Amino acid sequence: AQKVTQAQTEISVVEKEDVTLDCVYETRDTTYYLFWYKQPPSGELVFLIRRNSFDEQNEISGRYSWNFQKSTSSFNFTITASQVVDSAVYFCALSLNTGNQFYFGTGTSLTVIP
Amino acid sequence: NAGVMQNPRHLVRRRGQEARLRCSPMKGHSHVYWYRQLPEEGLKFMVYLQKENIIDESGMPKERFSAEFPKEGPSILRIQQVVRGDSAAYFCASSQIPTAEAFFGQGTRLTVV
């Protein structure tokens, strides 16, 4: 069975601090895909990143970076120099090669305090 | 290129009525997913469709819920005889291929009164 765990339910940081959102996944498949989505207060879901299981290179996009470690089954997301606009719920998700569905974590609610 | 379009954005139904939620995928996308999000919870998979076919409906309640994705037109999620527990945000997503990133619509917030 597949499972995604986001142990941090809520995080509050002061603007300009760095923050890391944790994501741990479970699957027995060797081919899978990992995703992060952002859900701002307006409610829509915004795609942030997709990573396949064969690519363990870390990725950086502006203030965002992702650390994928197969050894610990983790796909953590770091926001550097956080801003108020980063306040949102962030979801980590997993899909398999069949692509039938995304398995979502329960989300981490991030509040950036000005 | 327009994103995934869902309508209506908000829908209020009385108990026992029918709710119809529409989703137009992104241009070029033939894979559609429906998810339900209850307040303060994550997204729960309901159904995965390709054009004219239901591929996986393992997350769909056995009764009152149905989904379709016809050859022409939007995908429809239909809830018959709604109950208070159906109140939730329903999100549609589409992708170009099954393993690609899925792009989500803005959701339909269903309230059953």
Side-chain angles (χ1 to χ4, degrees):
Chain A
Q2 281 56 238
K3 187 179 179 183
V4 175
T5 301
Q6 294 180 256
Q8 305 150 307
T9 307
E10 295 180 3
I11 300 177
S12 290
V13 298
V14 177
E15 201 170 20
K16 296 184 184 175
E17 286 184 348
D18 299 347
V19 58
T20 295
L21 310 182
D22 298 333
C23 173
V24 174
Y25 62 92
E26 296 175 31
T27 180
R28 291 189 176 185
D29 283 36
T30 55
T31 301
Y32 52 88
Y33 303 84
L34 296 165
F35 304 80
W36 276 94
Y37 285 86
K38 173 182 180 180
Q39 187 175 39
S42 50
E44 73 274 23
L45 279 146
V46 179
F47 165 77
L48 296 178
I49 190 170
R50 168 183 179 267
R51 172 68 74 219
N52 75 56
S53 53
F54 299 107
D55 182 3
E56 282 194 77
Q57 279 194 344
N58 291 334
E59 176 145 346
I60 298 175
S61 176
R63 296 184 297 107
Y64 295 172
S65 62
W66 289 269
N67 185 327
F68 176 28
Q69 291 197 335
K70 287 177 80 169
S71 60
T72 55
S73 296
S74 65
F75 187 43
N76 296 339
F77 172 30
T78 297
I79 302 175
T80 304
S82 60
Q83 299 176 1
V84 173
V85 293
D86 296 327
S87 296
V89 179
Y90 291 86
F91 290 98
C92 180
L94 163 76
S95 77
L96 304 181
N97 211 24
T98 56
N100 278 16
Q101 63 171 287
F102 292 76
Y103 300 88
F104 279 88
T106 50
T108 296
S109 177
L110 173 66
T111 301
V112 181
I113 303 164
Chain B
N1 189 9
V4 178
M5 304 299 291
Q6 286 188 251
N7 66 81
R9 291 287 309 278
H10 300 275
L11 182 62
V12 179
R13 284 287 177 265
R14 295 188 184 279
R15 278 180 295 172
Q17 290 184 320
E18 178 179 290
R20 278 184 170 240
L21 288 61
R22 293 174 184 76
C23 168
S24 296
M26 285 181 71
K27 189 175 180 181
H29 288 192
S30 58
H31 302 266
V32 166
Y33 307 81
W34 285 93
Y35 286 81
R36 176 164 62 178
Q37 184 178 32
L38 293 168
E40 310 299 325
E41 291 188 15
L43 290 100
K44 301 296 184 189
F45 168 76
M46 298 182 75
V47 62
Y48 162 44
L49 310 102
Q50 291 180 35
K51 279 288 186 181
E52 300 185 274
N53 291 307
I54 296 175
I55 307 301
D56 183 348
E57 55 181 349
S58 58
M60 195 94 101
K62 293 285 185 283
E63 297 178 353
R64 303 188 297 108
F65 285 73
S66 62
E68 63 178 15
F69 188 16
K71 188 176 179 181
E72 302 290 338
S75 174
I76 306 285
L77 179 67
R78 184 180 174 206
I79 311 172
Q80 295 178 292
Q81 299 175 320
V82 296
V83 300
R84 288 247 171 91
D86 297 333
S87 295
Y90 291 83
F91 287 93
C92 167
S94 74
S95 67
Q96 204 165 26
I97 59 174
T99 55
E101 58 270 28
F103 294 91
F104 283 78
Q106 292 189 298
T108 294
R109 277 141 186 88
L110 171 66
T111 302
V112 180
V113 297

Short mmCIF file of all heavy atoms in Angstrom, two decimals, chain A residues 9-11 21 37-42 44 64 79 83-91 107-112:
data_model
loop_
_atom_site.label_atom_id
_atom_site.label_comp_id
_atom_site.label_asym_id
_atom_site.label_seq_id
_atom_site.Cartn_x
_atom_site.Cartn_y
_atom_site.Cartn_z
N THR A 9 1.79 19.36 11.13
CA THR A 9 0.45 19.82 10.79
C THR A 9 0.45 21.32 10.53
O THR A 9 -0.14 21.79 9.55
CB THR A 9 -0.52 19.49 11.93
OG1 THR A 9 -0.42 18.11 12.24
CG2 THR A 9 -1.95 19.82 11.53
N GLU A 10 1.10 22.05 11.44
CA GLU A 10 1.14 23.50 11.30
C GLU A 10 2.54 24.00 11.65
O GLU A 10 3.16 23.51 12.59
CB GLU A 10 0.13 24.17 12.25
CG GLU A 10 -1.31 23.87 11.94
CD GLU A 10 -2.26 24.57 12.91
OE1 GLU A 10 -1.79 25.32 13.77
OE2 GLU A 10 -3.47 24.35 12.80
N ILE A 11 3.01 24.97 10.90
CA ILE A 11 4.29 25.61 11.18
C ILE A 11 4.10 27.12 11.07
O ILE A 11 3.44 27.59 10.14
CB ILE A 11 5.38 25.18 10.18
CG1 ILE A 11 5.61 23.67 10.22
CG2 ILE A 11 6.67 25.92 10.46
CD1 ILE A 11 6.63 23.20 9.18
N LEU A 21 9.68 21.75 5.12
CA LEU A 21 8.48 20.94 5.26
C LEU A 21 8.85 19.49 4.96
O LEU A 21 9.42 19.20 3.90
CB LEU A 21 7.39 21.43 4.29
CG LEU A 21 7.09 22.93 4.31
CD1 LEU A 21 5.97 23.26 3.34
CD2 LEU A 21 6.77 23.41 5.71
N TYR A 37 2.47 20.30 -3.95
CA TYR A 37 1.45 21.26 -4.37
C TYR A 37 1.26 22.29 -3.26
O TYR A 37 1.39 21.97 -2.08
CB TYR A 37 0.11 20.58 -4.65
CG TYR A 37 0.06 19.81 -5.94
CD1 TYR A 37 0.50 18.49 -6.01
CD2 TYR A 37 -0.43 20.40 -7.10
CE1 TYR A 37 0.44 17.78 -7.19
CE2 TYR A 37 -0.50 19.70 -8.29
CZ TYR A 37 -0.06 18.39 -8.33
OH TYR A 37 -0.12 17.71 -9.51
N LYS A 38 0.91 23.48 -3.66
CA LYS A 38 0.63 24.57 -2.71
C LYS A 38 -0.85 24.93 -2.80
O LYS A 38 -1.39 25.07 -3.91
CB LYS A 38 1.48 25.79 -3.07
CG LYS A 38 1.18 27.05 -2.28
CD LYS A 38 2.05 28.20 -2.77
CE LYS A 38 1.77 29.47 -2.00
NZ LYS A 38 2.62 30.62 -2.48
N GLN A 39 -1.49 25.08 -1.66
CA GLN A 39 -2.89 25.51 -1.63
C GLN A 39 -2.97 26.80 -0.82
O GLN A 39 -3.04 26.79 0.40
CB GLN A 39 -3.80 24.43 -1.04
CG GLN A 39 -5.28 24.79 -1.15
CD GLN A 39 -6.19 23.67 -0.68
OE1 GLN A 39 -5.91 22.99 0.31
NE2 GLN A 39 -7.30 23.46 -1.38
N PRO A 40 -2.96 27.95 -1.49
CA PRO A 40 -3.06 29.22 -0.78
C PRO A 40 -4.47 29.41 -0.21
O PRO A 40 -5.36 28.60 -0.52
CB PRO A 40 -2.74 30.25 -1.87
CG PRO A 40 -3.04 29.57 -3.15
CD PRO A 40 -2.83 28.10 -2.93
N PRO A 41 -4.67 30.44 0.58
CA PRO A 41 -5.99 30.67 1.19
C PRO A 41 -7.13 30.76 0.17
O PRO A 41 -8.27 30.47 0.50
CB PRO A 41 -5.80 31.98 1.94
CG PRO A 41 -4.35 32.01 2.26
CD PRO A 41 -3.66 31.37 1.10
N SER A 42 -6.83 31.13 -1.04
CA SER A 42 -7.87 31.22 -2.07
C SER A 42 -8.39 29.85 -2.48
O SER A 42 -9.45 29.74 -3.10
CB SER A 42 -7.33 31.97 -3.29
OG SER A 42 -6.09 31.43 -3.69
N GLU A 44 -7.18 27.24 -4.48
CA GLU A 44 -6.76 26.41 -5.61
C GLU A 44 -5.49 25.64 -5.28
O GLU A 44 -4.78 25.96 -4.33
CB GLU A 44 -6.55 27.27 -6.87
CG GLU A 44 -5.29 28.13 -6.85
CD GLU A 44 -5.48 29.45 -6.17
OE1 GLU A 44 -6.41 29.57 -5.34
OE2 GLU A 44 -4.68 30.36 -6.44
N TYR A 64 12.87 28.21 -3.48
CA TYR A 64 12.40 26.86 -3.17
C TYR A 64 13.49 25.83 -3.49
O TYR A 64 14.17 25.94 -4.52
CB TYR A 64 11.16 26.51 -4.01
CG TYR A 64 9.92 27.31 -3.75
CD1 TYR A 64 8.82 27.18 -4.58
CD2 TYR A 64 9.82 28.19 -2.68
CE1 TYR A 64 7.65 27.89 -4.36
CE2 TYR A 64 8.66 28.91 -2.46
CZ TYR A 64 7.58 28.75 -3.30
OH TYR A 64 6.43 29.46 -3.08
N ILE A 79 11.86 26.30 2.01
CA ILE A 79 11.66 27.66 1.52
C ILE A 79 12.69 28.54 2.23
O ILE A 79 12.74 28.58 3.47
CB ILE A 79 10.24 28.17 1.82
CG1 ILE A 79 9.20 27.25 1.19
CG2 ILE A 79 10.07 29.61 1.32
CD1 ILE A 79 7.76 27.61 1.55
N GLN A 83 8.44 34.43 2.85
CA GLN A 83 7.68 35.66 2.68
C GLN A 83 6.22 35.39 3.06
O GLN A 83 5.76 34.24 3.05
CB GLN A 83 7.75 36.13 1.22
CG GLN A 83 9.15 36.43 0.75
CD GLN A 83 9.20 36.81 -0.72
OE1 GLN A 83 8.18 36.87 -1.40
NE2 GLN A 83 10.40 37.07 -1.23
N VAL A 84 5.50 36.46 3.34
CA VAL A 84 4.10 36.31 3.74
C VAL A 84 3.29 35.58 2.68
O VAL A 84 2.40 34.78 2.98
CB VAL A 84 3.48 37.69 4.06
CG1 VAL A 84 1.98 37.57 4.29
CG2 VAL A 84 4.17 38.32 5.27
N VAL A 85 3.64 35.80 1.42
CA VAL A 85 2.91 35.14 0.32
C VAL A 85 3.12 33.63 0.30
O VAL A 85 2.43 32.91 -0.41
CB VAL A 85 3.28 35.72 -1.05
CG1 VAL A 85 2.81 37.15 -1.17
CG2 VAL A 85 4.78 35.60 -1.32
N ASP A 86 4.08 33.15 1.06
CA ASP A 86 4.30 31.71 1.14
C ASP A 86 3.29 31.04 2.07
O ASP A 86 3.22 29.81 2.13
CB ASP A 86 5.72 31.40 1.63
CG ASP A 86 6.80 31.88 0.68
OD1 ASP A 86 6.56 31.87 -0.54
OD2 ASP A 86 7.88 32.28 1.17
N SER A 87 2.54 31.81 2.81
CA SER A 87 1.54 31.24 3.72
C SER A 87 0.52 30.46 2.91
O SER A 87 -0.15 30.99 2.03
CB SER A 87 0.83 32.36 4.50
OG SER A 87 1.74 33.05 5.34
N ALA A 88 0.40 29.19 3.24
CA ALA A 88 -0.47 28.29 2.48
C ALA A 88 -0.42 26.92 3.13
O ALA A 88 0.35 26.69 4.07
CB ALA A 88 0.01 28.18 1.03
N VAL A 89 -1.23 26.01 2.59
CA VAL A 89 -1.10 24.61 2.97
C VAL A 89 -0.32 23.92 1.85
O VAL A 89 -0.62 24.11 0.67
CB VAL A 89 -2.48 23.94 3.14
CG1 VAL A 89 -2.31 22.47 3.51
CG2 VAL A 89 -3.29 24.66 4.21
N TYR A 90 0.67 23.16 2.22
CA TYR A 90 1.51 22.49 1.24
C TYR A 90 1.27 20.99 1.34
O TYR A 90 1.33 20.40 2.42
CB TYR A 90 2.98 22.81 1.50
CG TYR A 90 3.32 24.24 1.19
CD1 TYR A 90 3.13 25.24 2.14
CD2 TYR A 90 3.79 24.62 -0.07
CE1 TYR A 90 3.41 26.57 1.84
CE2 TYR A 90 4.08 25.93 -0.37
CZ TYR A 90 3.89 26.91 0.59
OH TYR A 90 4.17 28.22 0.29
N PHE A 91 1.03 20.39 0.18
CA PHE A 91 0.76 18.96 0.11
C PHE A 91 1.87 18.25 -0.65
O PHE A 91 2.30 18.70 -1.72
CB PHE A 91 -0.56 18.69 -0.62
CG PHE A 91 -1.77 19.11 0.15
CD1 PHE A 91 -2.38 20.32 -0.12
CD2 PHE A 91 -2.31 18.30 1.13
CE1 PHE A 91 -3.50 20.73 0.58
CE2 PHE A 91 -3.44 18.69 1.84
CZ PHE A 91 -4.03 19.91 1.56
N GLY A 107 -1.08 17.34 4.49
CA GLY A 107 -0.77 18.75 4.33
C GLY A 107 -0.11 19.38 5.54
O GLY A 107 -0.32 18.95 6.68
N THR A 108 0.70 20.39 5.28
CA THR A 108 1.32 21.21 6.33
C THR A 108 0.87 22.64 6.11
O THR A 108 1.07 23.19 5.02
CB THR A 108 2.85 21.12 6.28
OG1 THR A 108 3.26 19.79 6.54
CG2 THR A 108 3.47 22.06 7.31
N SER A 109 0.27 23.21 7.12
CA SER A 109 -0.18 24.60 7.03
C SER A 109 0.94 25.51 7.49
O SER A 109 1.36 25.47 8.65
CB SER A 109 -1.41 24.80 7.91
OG SER A 109 -1.81 26.16 7.87
N LEU A 110 1.44 26.31 6.57
CA LEU A 110 2.55 27.23 6.87
C LEU A 110 2.01 28.65 7.02
O LEU A 110 1.30 29.15 6.13
CB LEU A 110 3.59 27.19 5.75
CG LEU A 110 4.71 28.21 5.85
CD1 LEU A 110 5.59 27.94 7.07
CD2 LEU A 110 5.57 28.22 4.58
N THR A 111 2.35 29.29 8.12
CA THR A 111 2.02 30.69 8.32
C THR A 111 3.30 31.47 8.46
O THR A 111 4.15 31.15 9.31
CB THR A 111 1.16 30.89 9.59
OG1 THR A 111 -0.04 30.12 9.46
CG2 THR A 111 0.81 32.37 9.77
N VAL A 112 3.47 32.45 7.60
CA VAL A 112 4.63 33.32 7.68
C VAL A 112 4.18 34.65 8.28
O VAL A 112 3.34 35.35 7.72
CB VAL A 112 5.26 33.55 6.29
CG1 VAL A 112 6.48 34.45 6.40
CG2 VAL A 112 5.63 32.20 5.66
#
